[in-house]
Each structure stands twice: as structure tokens, then as C-alpha cells.
Amino acid sequence: MIIAGFIVILTFILIFYNENKIVIKDDNGNEILNQELKNRDINEENGISSQKKDEEEKYNPALELLYTGKMDGIEFGIGTNSTEIIEKWGEPDYKDNYMGGLLLSYDKTYFLTDGIIIDDSISYGTVGGIYYTGEATIYGIHIGMLLREVEEILGKPNHTYISDNSELYFDNNLIVKYKAGAHTVIFEIENGSETVQSISLWKEEK
């Protein structure tokens, strides 16, 4: 009877191993347990591992320019056509396919677009992200500023992340994210020194 009962129980529970997850289901396919072995929420665009959510978005007057999809000192913003940048700033120092699109590099300002280079043909798309490592002050923040100073100026971030296998950010750096309507600014904080290493602007994914 004990053996028969044990067999019946086994027919009701199936264990599936799927990479980082252990999923237990009954014979009807209903999930009983979904245990993450490695709690990871990958940001598809930036290659960042999500660790926690801090708080919901609230209107932030210090990020007024971010609501328009622009950065201080940079005349182009999210949605700008790449050809407009080249017409005004000239040919970039460097351009190549990067992160699934066309990268235009101007000194310490990098425009990430949805264009592409195929063989000798270039399709110039629109700007989807801006990555900055220069000396200008962006939304009151500059490279080298301490994390605590960032929070004193902008308040608590909406999300924080640890960079992991990112094409853009160094592994194990803290990624601090502030939202403003349809746009997001990310401050990359160096692990150890807790100082800002880069500032990047993105269109917020819905």
C-alpha cells in the first residue's frame, strides 16, 4: 500500500529543470512551485540584471529636461534622425554597428540609433539612446559625483541594478535609474568608489 501510494503521488507531481529555474507541476500542468535559482530580470536593451525596485515614478522638477527626451548641453534628443546630427556636427569620429543598431561617436557623446551598416550601405535611423562620459553637468549631475550626492539632488531612484554581461556598462557596477514620463536616465556608479562613471538617456520601455 505504501509503495502504491508513493507511485500515485509521483504521477501527480512532475519536476522540470529549465536552466536557472526549478518548476514543479501537477499532472494537469498546473504550476505548484516556481523557484528561481538565480533571481535575475535581464533588461533586454541594456543587458542589466535587475535586483530591486525602489519606488514608483513621481514628478521630479529636477528632471524637467528629461521629460522632453533631452540632455543638458546636447541639442539632439531621443527620436532625432541621425542625418540631422551629421548635418550639424559633421561626420562622427567613429560609427559602427553596436547593440543591434548604428552607433555614432562624437568625442565623449555617443548616439545609439536604430540604423545599421550592411556591407558598404548605411541606413541612418533615429536616436534611441545617448551615452555620455564628458565633463558637462547633466540634470545637475556630473561624472565623478558621489552616489549620495546624486540622491541629494534627484531624490531616491526608481530602480537600481547591478550590471551583468552588459555591452555598455562594466560588470558589478551599480546602475541607478530615474524615470521621467516616457524617458529614463541611468547613472552608472563604479563599484568601490561609488562615483558616477557614465550618464545615459533612453526611451522608457512600456
Side-chain angles (χ1 to χ4, degrees), residues 2 12 19 25 38 41 83 94 110 115 117 131 140 147 152 165 183 185-186 188 196 203:
I2 295 176
F12 280 86
E19 294 182 356
K25 298 182 180 180
K38 200 170 185 181
D41 177 20
T83 55
Y94 174 81
Y110 306 85
I117 299 176
Y131 180 89
L147 173 59
E152 286 172 2
N165 295 321
H183 303 98
V185 61
I186 288 179
E188 180 185 7
V196 177
K203 184 171 183 180

Side-chain angles (χ1 to χ4, degrees), residues 14 28 72-73 83 96 105 114 117 127 133 191:
L14 298 174
N28 294 319
D72 296 275
T83 55
D96 203 353
S105 171
D114 58 2
I117 299 176
V127 174
T133 58
N191 181 23

Side-chain angles (χ1 to χ4, degrees), residues 160-200:
T160 56
Y161 305 85
I162 295 296
S163 179
D164 182 24
N165 295 321
S166 171
E167 292 184 73
L168 200 57
Y169 309 115
F170 285 100
D171 285 354
N172 299 318
N173 277 354
L174 179 66
I175 308 302
V176 176
K177 177 179 177 181
Y178 289 86
K179 294 172 59 180
H183 303 98
T184 294
V185 61
I186 288 179
F187 300 100
E188 180 185 7
I189 309 298
E190 184 178 41
N191 181 23
S193 70
E194 295 193 349
T195 57
V196 177
Q197 300 298 300
S198 69
I199 302 172
S200 53

Side-chain angles (χ1 to χ4, degrees), residues 71-139:
M71 282 182 164
D72 296 275
I74 301 175
E75 57 185 306
F76 312 109
I78 300 297
T80 299
N81 193 294
S82 301
T83 55
E84 182 181 344
I85 299 174
I86 294 173
E87 286 172 2
K88 293 186 177 181
W89 283 16
E91 282 294 321
D93 304 322
Y94 174 81
K95 59 185 175 185
D96 203 353
N97 293 326
Y98 184 67
M99 291 180 62
L102 177 63
L103 170 70
L104 303 179
S105 171
Y106 291 89
D107 192 17
K108 296 182 179 180
T109 303
Y110 306 85
F111 298 98
L112 295 101
T113 80
D114 58 2
I116 192 170
I117 299 176
I118 300 178
D119 297 325
D120 296 327
S121 177
I122 301 177
S123 172
Y124 290 100
T126 58
V127 174
I130 304 174
Y131 180 89
Y132 183 76
T133 58
E135 298 177 356
T137 298
I138 309 292
Y139 315 124

